[in-house]
């Protein structure tokens, strides 16, 4: 057990190291001249050389990378070209709002996905099943910005049930969270449907029914817990797709999280901020997957961690 | 003949038949855009705006209305189909080629190179595809081909993982071992046994991947770092008119419907292809 956890954490560390290398490439190697970008167009050669020295761009390649890695470990993501402040501070001040929306969005995804998947599995091959699966297909084929604008138009502009966006209480949170939930639920509902159909056909379910348990009890106590275990590792994988959706949904609804920060940075070509948000998201994905891997053996004792 | 039979079975599902029809319409529209579009997509009509300078809703002259500059929306959507398809096919084509090469190398050649390639795909999986694409597009300053390249660079990972596990499972089967014992070279096994078995998987992913690509292009264009105006793309039509969508909703609605319909169509066809081509799935639905 301890060996498995250590190995898994060590691998996550290795991937994090790889992530830092790629973000380093994005920040300092691909752009034509980062020092020139920071200094601005009208800067003299002397100023540019000065900034280059400050950033360590005159050092050999591996030293530059080690320096970047050292900064990263101290939580320093570099400086924004446009806003003239620390990227880490910009992200930090918006992290709370994003976590709020993430929690609400993932909750929506799971509730909608599991409920629809269950319903479809129980009504297998009926019109309801086909309708729900068609819905999940449309969900996974729609870009977030279209769904967000559509919901905003119908529920905020036409019906005026919700505010037009911005930061605030539950009424502000609900519409963006539902957008993320509706689009993300497609994968979950398909997965829950197929795993539930599989569980429904197993012997122990027939036994449970035969010993006189009600249908509702069998489904809630015996089928559901077994059918939703594959959902847990899925959440870890899903965080990646979710973070992408967050950029779009936050910018459409004006939710002041790191997604909106990224969107503003895109409009101003503020690369350190974009790369900073990418780095933070990658860390979130790695940690999410790690947690899912570590939690799953406790929930499902059939999974043998020595094999994986 | 087998291909025709599969095609006909797929068409028996009404949803797939509609999806295929829509794909054909989009392909024809993008090939014949100059003949189908009633106007030049970049011409700004004086009478295409109201006296106050607002865009016109759908009417007899401009079937889907006009945009903020008084350009015909229908013509822009027809030309936008070109952009979406070119990027869909080119970007996804590159992604499938890279993914297949990486997957086969890692699964069949193995060794340190295979190990390194799989660790690289693990690493790429740690990045949110959209954010990585955004970062790359922002750095490389977008054009049509750069956008296609950026999408290919983030989309090959999925293909590589699928092809990798397929290759491993095929290479472990007995007929491959038999071939080896009768002295077939690795290259012969690769080209006359492995690749033919991989074709169905590659085909399925080549179709499903176009859906993802269309969505990614639309999203990048919507964020302003995809295809750059005045070249029309369905995503950048919405990008240009997003702040007016409460008063001119058709500017978002029509290109939006086009994006969802195209992506949905490729998803449906890809899914049906998988059902037809993957024998292990037969009867399990």
């Amino acid at each position: 057990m301890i060996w498995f956890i250590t190995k898994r954490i060590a691998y996550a560390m290795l991937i994090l190291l790889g992530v830092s290398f790629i973000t380093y490439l994005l920040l300092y190697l691909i752009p034509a001249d980062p020092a020139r970008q920071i200094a601005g167009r009208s800067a003299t050669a002397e100023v540019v050389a000065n900034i280059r020295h400050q950033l360590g761009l005159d050092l050999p390649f591996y030293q530059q990378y080690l320096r970047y890695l050292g900064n990263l470990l101290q939580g320093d993501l570099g400086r924004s070209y446009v806003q003239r402040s620390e990227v880490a501070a910009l992200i930090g001040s918006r992290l709370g709002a994003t976590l709020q929306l993430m929690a609400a969005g993932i909750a929506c995804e799971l509730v909608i996905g599991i409920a629809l998947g269950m319903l479809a599995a129980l009504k297998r091959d009926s019109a309801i099943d086909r309708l729900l699966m068609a819905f999940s297909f449309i969900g996974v084929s729609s870009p977030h910005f279209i769904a967000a604008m559509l919901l905003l138009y119908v529920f905020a502009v036409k019906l005026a049930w919700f505010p037009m966006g911005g930061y605030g209480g539950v009424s502000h949170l609900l519409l963006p969270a539902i957008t993320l939930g509706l689009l993300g639920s497609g994968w979950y509902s398909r997965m829950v449907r197929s795993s539930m159909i599989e569980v429904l056909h197993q012997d122990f379910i027939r036994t449970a029914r035969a010993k006189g348990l009600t249908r509702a009890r069998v489904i809630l106590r015996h089928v559901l817990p077994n059918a939703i275990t594959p959902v847990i590792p899925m959440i870890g994988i899903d965080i990646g797709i979710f973070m992408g959706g967050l950029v779009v949904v936050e910018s459409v609804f004006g939710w002041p999280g790191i997604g909106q920060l990224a969107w503003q940075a895109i409009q101003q070509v503020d690369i350190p901020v974009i790369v900073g948000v990418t780095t933070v998201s990658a860390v979130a994905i790695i940690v999410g997957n790690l947690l899912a891997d570590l939690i799953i053996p406790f929930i499902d004792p059939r999974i043998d961690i020595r094999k994986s | 003949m087998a291909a025709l039979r599969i095609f006909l079975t797929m068409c028996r599902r009404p949803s797939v038949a509609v999806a295929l029809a829509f794909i054909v319409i989009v392909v024809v529209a993008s090939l014949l855009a100059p003949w189908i579009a009633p106007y030049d997509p970049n011409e700004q009509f004086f009478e295409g705006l109201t006296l106050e300078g607002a865009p016109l809703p759908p009417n007899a002259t401009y079937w889907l209305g006009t945009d903020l500059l008084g350009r015909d929306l229908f013509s822009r959507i027809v030309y936008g189909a070109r952009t979406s398809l070119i990027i869909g096919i080119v970007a996804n084509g590159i992604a499938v080629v890279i993914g297949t090469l990486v997957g086969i190398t890692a699964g069949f050649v193995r060794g340190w190179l295979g190990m390194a390639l799989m660790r690289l795909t693990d690493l790429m999986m740690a990045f949110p595809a959209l954010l990585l694409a955004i970062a790359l597009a922002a750095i490389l300053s977008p054009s049509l081909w750069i956008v296609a390249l950026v999408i290919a660079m983030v989309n090959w990972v999925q293909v590589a993982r699928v092809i990798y596990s397929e290759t491993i499972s095929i290479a472990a089967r007995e007929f491959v071992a038999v071939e080896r014992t009768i002295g077939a070279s690795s290259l012969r096994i690769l080209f006359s046994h492995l690749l033919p078995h991989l074709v169905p998987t590659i085909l399925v992913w080549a179709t499903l991947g176009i859906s993802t690509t269309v969505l990614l292009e639309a999203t990048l264009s919507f964020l302003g770092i995809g295809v750059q105006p005045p070249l029309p793309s369905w995503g950048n039509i919405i990008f240009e008119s997003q702040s007016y969508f409460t008063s001119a909703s058709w500017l978002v609605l029509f290109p939006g419907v086009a994006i969802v319909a195209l992506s949905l169509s490729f998803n449906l066809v890809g899914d049906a292809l998988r059902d037809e081509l993957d024998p292990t799935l037969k009867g399990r639905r």
Side-chain angles (χ1 to χ4, degrees), chain B residues 2-21:
Chain B
L4 186 67
R5 204 190 62 239
I6 288 169
F7 178 75
L8 290 176
T9 347
M10 275 170 54
C11 286
R12 232 177 275 158
R13 283 195 224 169
S15 57
V16 177
V18 173
L20 278 170

Side-chain angles (χ1 to χ4, degrees), chain B residues 29-99:
Chain B
S30 52
L31 287 177
L32 305 179
W35 291 277
I36 292 177
Y39 306 101
D40 179 338
N42 292 323
E43 189 172 348
Q44 303 178 11
F45 294 99
F46 179 68
E47 65 276 29
L49 293 170
T50 62
L51 285 177
E52 292 80 31
L56 296 176
N59 57 58
T61 332
Y62 307 105
W63 299 339
L64 298 183
T66 57
D67 74 357
L68 302 172
L69 299 175
R71 296 174 295 193
D72 179 44
L73 184 60
F74 180 66
S75 306
R76 288 189 72 71
I77 288 182
V78 170
Y79 275 88
R82 256 187 190 183
T83 320
S84 288
L85 268 190
I86 290 178
I87 291 191
I89 291 165
V90 171
N92 194 50
I94 302 174
V96 167
V97 169
I98 299 178

Side-chain angles (χ1 to χ4, degrees), chain A residues 41-105:
Chain A
R41 284 206 184 108
S42 54
T44 58
E46 199 180 335
V47 174
V48 174
N50 214 342
I51 291 175
R52 188 168 291 139
H53 182 69
Q54 272 176 20
L55 288 174
L57 292 173
D58 47 358
L59 294 170
F61 171 70
Y62 70 95
Q63 275 187 24
Q64 277 189 51
Y65 171 63
L66 286 180
R67 211 171 126 146
Y68 170 75
L69 190 64
N71 289 341
L72 214 54
L73 286 175
Q74 293 166 27
D76 180 359
L77 293 165
R79 288 179 72 84
S80 156
Y81 295 165
V82 181
Q83 304 206 37
R84 314 254 157 215
S85 53
E86 295 286 326
V87 174
L90 287 172
I91 291 178
S93 66
R94 285 159 171 267
L95 212 53
T98 290
L99 288 176
Q100 236 177 325
L101 183 55
M102 256 183 104

Side-chain angles (χ1 to χ4, degrees), chain A residues 11 15 18-19 26 30 124 137 141-143 145-146 149 153 157 240 244 248 263 266-267 271 274 278 281-282 285, chain B residues 119 122-123 126-128 130-131 134 138-139 215 218-219 222-223 225 238 242 245-246 249 256 263-264 267 271 285:
Chain A
Y11 189 61
I15 293 287
V19 165
L26 289 173
I30 303 179
R124 191 184 174 191
F137 244 120
S141 310
S142 307
F145 67 95
I146 291 175
M149 289 172 99
Y153 185 70
V157 178
V248 174
W263 179 72
I266 294 164
Q267 310 309 319
I271 289 165
I274 301 175
T278 311
S281 312
I285 292 172
Chain B
R119 295 294 83 81
D122 279 355
L123 177 56
F127 284 98
L130 178 62
L131 272 167
I134 287 173
I139 291 166
L215 291 188
T219 304
F222 167 75
L223 292 170
I225 43 172
I238 299 180
Q242 53 179 326
F245 87 101
T246 49
S249 51
S263 152
L264 182 62
N267 249 333
D271 199 55
R285 281 170 56 90

Side-chain angles (χ1 to χ4, degrees), chain A residues 15 27 36 85 114 128 134 146 158 247-248 261 266 296 308:
Chain A
I15 293 287
L27 266 179
R36 166 68 60 186
S85 53
I114 293 173
I128 295 180
I146 291 175
K158 287 286 154 187
V247 176
V248 174
L261 179 70
I266 294 164
I296 195 86
S308 53

